[in-house]
Amino acid sequence: MTENLVERLAETRSLTDEQFRTLLTTDRWDADLFAAADRVRRAQYGTDVFIRGLIEFTNYCKNDCYYCGIRHGNRKAARYRLTQEQILACCAEGYALGFRTFVLQGGEDPYFTDDRLCAIVAAIRRNHPDCAITLSVGERSHESYRRLFEAGANRYLLRHETADPAHYSRLHPANLRAENRQACLFDLKSIGYQVGAGFMVGSPYQTTDNLIADLRFLEKLQPDMIGIGPYITHAETPFAGQKNGSLELTLRLLAILRLMFPYVLLPATTALGTIHPEGRELGLKAGANVVMPNLSPTDVRALYALYENKICTGEEAAQCIGCLRRRVESAGYRIVTARGDVKRTN
């Protein structure tokens, strides 16, 4: 029975490859999946939705990932870097608005050496000792991660993008390897970070087997956070002609991930809100419990364009927290002012 398949996933937190394939390739069981995922998230976190203040502090990047709008090879990108003072001002504004987690996200920008980035992290920690500091700045050395942790960073987001090395090689130039990215995630765990992995849904050449490999990798990693979102194309990339990922498949995977990892912090991403006007609300109903409004200065928000048509209007902006609160409440949940640390209670 289909109900038994969903119940089995909720009970055992895993399925066979063939059973995962069954859930992933049809919408027949979506309603059961979403209902079960919502029950599990409510049992673990109630109706709480944690807000993270996103600060996109540089759109320079040394890499040439084929899907990304801020890739090094995009000569049309208008580049920017925020100063330490600007970043601290974003944090101060966010703190006043009720944010207790700041997410510093950027391309792999060589300008931000360990010394520079550690100084920024340490300054945020001094100014806001009760807050969590999350970094999302790509692949770095074990020593770099250690220094940033000791400077005051608590969490690190590093999407593995795809767990299959052959698929990874179709999305990235030869100097980037899936094995190295995955090794970085285990380095981060060993240092003591709360670690987030994740992948794009519907990326070019992705198969159902690739998605199952992603689920198996996450089972091995046991991350604290999982960020997934639909692939969205960008005209200034080699994948300009590729189609976008699916809202439906992304929601299905959110529900599956909630059942596999009841404790996980699971964002309803900006990409979901970009491909559907109620995408983030639908994500919350499928098991997500985090939203990440933008705290970046308004004049750079549109420049951090990993994909096209990214929402960065009032409701996406952190300053319109009231708008966001009403949208979250309309979905049946509530925004809370808290660090929102992971709860691995069962």
Side-chain angles (χ1 to χ4, degrees):
M1 297 287 292
T2 57
E3 292 78 12
N4 289 341
L5 192 62
V6 174
E7 289 171 7
R8 188 175 302 120
L9 178 57
E11 180 181 351
T12 68
R13 303 184 186 174
S14 190
L15 295 172
T16 67
D17 286 2
E18 197 54 46
Q19 288 169 332
F20 274 132
R21 187 173 289 106
T22 298
L23 287 182
L24 287 168
T25 54
T26 176
D27 62 3
R28 185 174 171 184
W29 296 285
D30 284 359
D32 289 340
L33 270 173
F34 298 153
D38 189 56
R39 284 195 301 272
V40 168
R41 75 91 83 201
R42 287 174 186 267
Q44 195 80 4
Y45 289 102
T47 58
D48 291 355
V49 173
F50 303 114
I51 52 172
R52 317 307 200 193
L54 181 62
I55 303 169
E56 295 163 334
F57 68 99
T58 175
N59 73 345
Y60 283 85
C61 191
K62 66 182 182 181
N63 295 330
D64 252 334
C65 305
Y66 302 149
Y67 50 82
C68 184
I70 65 169
R71 64 196 303 267
H72 178 72
N74 180 7
R75 305 305 179 198
K76 294 186 178 181
R79 304 291 179 174
Y80 73 91
R81 293 184 180 105
L82 300 186
T83 65
Q84 178 170 317
E85 291 70 27
Q86 287 175 303
I87 294 169
L88 293 177
C90 292
C91 292
E93 180 181 19
Y95 192 88
L97 290 167
F99 290 82
R100 295 299 178 264
T101 292
F102 304 118
V103 181
L104 271 61
Q105 179 174 295
E108 293 196 19
D109 183 354
Y111 173 83
F112 285 98
T113 60
D114 289 348
D115 287 346
R116 285 193 173 110
L117 204 48
C118 284
I120 292 168
V121 169
I124 297 172
R125 174 59 59 222
R126 284 193 302 273
N127 291 352
H128 307 289
D130 56 329
C131 292
I133 301 171
T134 304
L135 299 177
S136 181
V137 289
E139 298 177 28
R140 300 173 81 95
S141 69
H142 187 284
E143 174 66 10
S144 176
Y145 290 148
R146 183 191 62 78
R147 287 189 60 189
L148 290 164
F149 185 79
E150 291 176 353
N154 310 96
R155 305 172 184 155
Y156 203 102
L157 307 179
L158 182 69
R159 284 189 175 186
H160 66 276
E161 299 298 7
T162 174
D164 180 78
H167 184 220
Y168 195 91
S169 70
R170 301 189 75 178
L171 305 180
H172 303 85
N175 65 309
L176 298 176
R177 298 170 62 249
E179 296 84 354
N180 186 65
R181 199 163 185 88
Q182 293 173 21
C184 286
L185 283 161
F186 286 100
D187 282 348
L188 289 160
K189 281 199 77 170
S190 72
I191 291 167
Y193 285 94
Q194 292 182 39
V195 173
F199 54 91
M200 295 177 290
V201 179
S203 60
Y205 316 115
Q206 186 181 72
T207 65
T208 301
D209 284 345
N210 293 149
L211 290 172
I212 294 170
D214 287 322
L215 298 179
R216 296 300 181 210
F217 173 72
L218 292 170
E219 284 183 320
K220 180 181 177 184
L221 180 66
Q222 292 290 309
D224 303 289
M225 302 162 280
I226 301 173
I228 70 168
Y231 165 77
I232 303 177
T233 192
H234 192 291
E236 299 302 326
T237 70
F239 288 160
Q242 298 282 352
K243 66 178 184 178
N244 291 340
S246 154
L247 171 72
E248 292 74 20
L249 182 55
T250 305
L251 295 174
R252 195 174 303 148
L253 278 157
L254 282 171
I256 289 171
L257 290 168
R258 174 56 67 198
L259 296 180
M260 292 177 69
F261 308 99
Y263 62 84
V264 82
L265 295 165
L266 196 61
T269 62
T270 300
L272 269 177
T274 298
I275 64 169
H276 190 284
E278 296 182 358
R280 283 173 298 181
E281 290 92 325
L282 292 169
L284 293 173
K285 292 179 179 179
N289 65 334
V290 172
V291 291
M292 298 172 63
N294 203 325
L295 272 175
S296 307
T298 54
D299 60 342
V300 303
R301 285 179 189 160
L303 302 181
Y304 197 85
L306 307 184
Y307 49 82
E308 290 186 311
N309 302 313
K310 171 186 169 186
I311 52 173
C312 54
T313 57
E315 291 177 5
E316 172 57 16
Q319 290 86 345
C320 195
I321 193 68
C323 310
L324 186 61
R325 181 173 286 109
R326 287 190 292 274
R327 294 188 70 147
V328 169
E329 288 173 354
S330 75
Y333 308 97
R334 66 183 188 116
I335 284 177
V336 295
T337 299
R339 280 173 46 122
D341 289 302
V342 69
K343 295 181 181 177
R344 289 180 180 264
T345 56
N346 56 43

